Amino acid sequence: MQITSSKFHKSATEVDDCPDGDVPEFAFIGRSNVGKSSLLNALCRRKDLSRVSKTPGRTRLMNFFVINEQWHLVDLPGYGFVRTGKKDRNVFEEMIGNYFVDRKQLRCAFVLIDSRHSPQQVDVDFVAWLITEEVPFVLVFTKSDKLKPRAAKKNVAAFLERMEEFAEEPPRTFLTSSQTGDGRREVLGFIGQCLDVEGS
Ligand code: GTP
Ligand code: MG
């Protein structure tokens, strides 16, 4: 899979605002600051297609990007961000929840997890919820450039072990760095496979 064109399409604050039609889409979700926007930019080899910020919780909208004029990448707001206060948080959680439950165009969610940390409850809970809602997903462990490969693998293994409590099968996992491009080919290859299956 090569990305030959990428452009911003639209932002949405609720599922009803999301693009109509049957363009297949892939969504990036994960804690605030985990690297969703950076990964989207790295995949598209664009510096600032999606805004990367030093302030966690900057992305508050669902941002749709058209790739190769054929499919959508969606940059979702981060979960687990507390600074906006409880009221706002619930608004975000409802928006994200409705998105995953309602969005028929979603082919696969990419759940981003910081590879530097041992399993965090908020990520475990979110993944467990996706499974109960039968949303297809894979795990993307980010920022691999920030630690030794062995340490990252240990955190990946620990997360999969936590999932054994509630998941029948381990999900597919990727280890990525938006800084070095690690894992880029694998993620794009996976998206290509999903689209091929559909086209065949
Ligand atoms: P929100 O939109 O706030 O939820 O954040 P996000 O998940 O989109 O994270 P974003 O891409 O904005 O990145 C957050 C910070 O992490 C920025 O300072 C990035 O430069 C940094 N970052 C993201 N990915 C990587 C990576 O692979 N390696 C390193 N070293 N830094 C990264
Ligand atoms: Mg972002």
Side-chain angles (χ1 to χ4, degrees):
M1 157 73 66
Q2 303 285 335
I3 291 188
T4 50
S5 72
S6 52
K7 60 172 185 276
F8 175 73
H9 180 47
K10 71 175 287 191
S11 294
T13 52
E14 50 184 297
V15 186
D16 287 349
D17 281 346
C18 292
D20 292 331
D22 51 10
V23 174
E25 73 193 32
F26 299 87
F28 288 179
I29 181 76
R31 296 178 87 172
S32 198
N33 217 39
V34 70
K36 298 176 292 294
S37 302
S38 301
L39 182 63
L40 193 142
N41 290 338
L43 291 185
C44 299
R45 291 217 161 104
R46 298 273 301 270
K47 268 212 175 70
D48 47 15
L49 184 61
S50 188
R51 174 127 41 106
V52 170
S53 132
K54 298 246 180 295
T55 323
R58 192 63 180 271
T59 312
R60 305 214 174 154
L61 302 164
M62 304 187 268
N63 291 315
F64 287 79
F65 299 86
V66 188
I67 313 296
N68 293 353
E69 300 188 0
Q70 276 174 343
W71 45 280
H72 285 150
L73 275 179
V74 193
D75 195 8
L76 294 171
Y79 56 69
F81 177 61
V82 285
R83 218 183 68 197
T84 45
K86 214 168 172 189
K87 192 160 162 274
D88 271 0
R89 194 161 78 225
N90 290 341
V91 170
F92 288 131
E93 278 170 10
E94 199 180 309
M95 173 166 92
I96 292 168
N98 289 343
Y99 171 86
F100 284 109
V101 172
D102 292 349
R103 197 72 181 145
K104 302 280 176 286
Q105 293 87 339
L106 180 69
R107 295 301 180 265
C108 189
F110 288 85
V111 181
L112 275 62
I113 296 172
D114 195 322
S115 67
R116 293 174 296 176
H117 305 313
S118 54
Q120 306 285 299
Q121 195 59 42
V122 66
D123 294 323
V124 173
D125 288 347
F126 183 73
V127 162
W129 178 78
L130 285 181
I131 291 174
T132 61
E133 294 296 332
E134 298 182 1
V135 176
F137 72 94
V138 295
L139 302 180
V140 178
F141 291 85
T142 61
K143 308 194 185 184
S144 70
D145 58 285
K146 289 208 172 196
L147 74 177
K148 296 216 164 75
R150 195 191 299 174
K153 283 192 183 128
K154 192 171 147 226
N155 289 334
V156 173
F159 197 92
L160 293 179
E161 202 177 308
R162 274 291 289 281
M163 282 187 62
E164 283 173 9
E165 291 165 22
F166 55 85
E168 276 174 26
E169 279 178 42
R172 241 180 113 168
T173 62
F174 300 90
L175 186 59
T176 64
S177 164
S178 301
Q179 208 132 86
T180 65
D182 250 14
R184 178 182 183 276
R185 202 163 44 93
E186 287 78 6
V187 169
L188 287 179
F190 173 76
I191 293 175
Q193 277 170 17
C194 294
L195 294 169
D196 280 352
V197 167
E198 196 158 291
S200 60

